[in-house]
Amino acid sequence: MQSIDTLPRFTILIHAVGHGFARQQPSDGSRVAAGPVHWDWLFQPPGDRSSGRAGDACADHLEHPSKSAATLWTWATDPLPELDKPPASWMDRIITPALRLADHRERYLDFEGDIGAGRGSVRQLARGRYELIRHTASCFEARLQWTSPPAGGSPVEWRHGPDTDARVVVRFSRADGEASESCHAWTATLFCERDT
């Protein structure tokens, strides 16, 4: 495994939705991440080491980012209360619907506060670094390494190191293998990878 300092970053944001927020739902009619609060899972692409500006007041995300813009691979899920338990105690995999969103600006790795334009506000649930396991048009899988537990958040026990017996793996996948739309239904799976 690589040194943690050389791995790309990730952030999980709690997005409290504002009055001006509207999201196109998948054509199957499901209501994924459509409530007053959802989580945004953001991953810095490997090799992209530019740094976002944490204090930018606007913090707009790009619907169709230019090739020169630093972007984060982004999915949204409903909040997952199962994550209140430490991963080593999970008996089963956690599986939930997810939406693949347009890539977000890199500033969201550090940003907390009002997003602007009535879209609500975000605060960090957790952040860290990840080891990429697989990345295709229909599957993203990563081994998470928590570097900064959330202030007052429940996943403080997620943090792991060499003396623990479990690592969290997250997989976002599409069963049909198609990934042509900018916003569509995926499945998020979280599980513990235990040392044996």
Side-chain angles (χ1 to χ4, degrees):
M1 186 186 302
Q2 293 176 290
S3 163
I4 192 167
D5 294 332
T6 65
L7 295 173
R9 297 171 61 197
F10 78 91
T11 298
I12 305 171
L13 294 176
I14 300 171
H15 183 172
V17 176
H19 69 278
F21 182 82
R23 170 173 288 151
Q24 176 185 352
Q25 290 295 313
S27 57
D28 66 4
S30 63
R31 301 287 295 161
V32 179
V37 175
H38 65 263
W39 290 359
D40 290 323
W41 301 69
L42 305 105
F43 296 87
Q44 179 184 47
D48 183 357
R49 295 296 184 268
S50 58
S51 58
R53 294 175 294 165
D56 196 316
C58 184
D60 291 326
H61 76 271
L62 296 174
E63 289 283 323
H64 303 287
S66 69
K67 293 187 187 300
S68 62
T71 57
L72 305 172
W73 299 327
T74 306
W75 287 265
T77 67
D78 289 316
L80 303 175
E82 301 92 334
L83 298 186
D84 286 342
K85 298 177 184 174
S89 70
W90 295 351
M91 299 302 290
D92 297 307
R93 292 173 180 236
I94 298 169
I95 301 172
T96 188
L99 289 179
R100 176 68 167 101
L101 304 180
D103 292 346
H104 282 47
R105 289 189 186 194
E106 183 135 358
R107 68 183 73 181
Y108 275 108
L109 284 172
D110 301 301
F111 183 82
E112 291 187 294
D114 186 356
I115 305 169
R119 291 173 294 169
S121 62
V122 294
R123 66 182 173 91
Q124 289 187 0
L125 174 66
R127 67 181 177 182
R129 302 217 175 231
Y130 74 92
E131 180 182 2
L132 183 64
I133 298 172
R134 180 174 16 170
H135 182 229
T136 67
S138 59
C139 182
F140 171 83
E141 186 171 355
R143 186 175 295 111
L144 306 182
Q145 297 189 39
W146 312 99
T147 58
S148 177
S154 59
V156 71
E157 295 89 358
W158 297 4
R159 195 172 186 170
H160 61 269
D163 56 344
T164 60
D165 64 352
R167 291 180 295 275
V168 176
V169 174
V170 63
R171 178 187 304 133
F172 292 94
S173 59
R174 279 184 57 91
D176 60 12
E178 295 180 14
S180 59
E181 301 171 36
S182 63
C183 186
H184 49 242
W186 289 54
T187 298
T189 304
L190 285 89
F191 58 94
C192 255
E193 185 182 72
R194 289 179 171 80
D195 294 333
T196 55

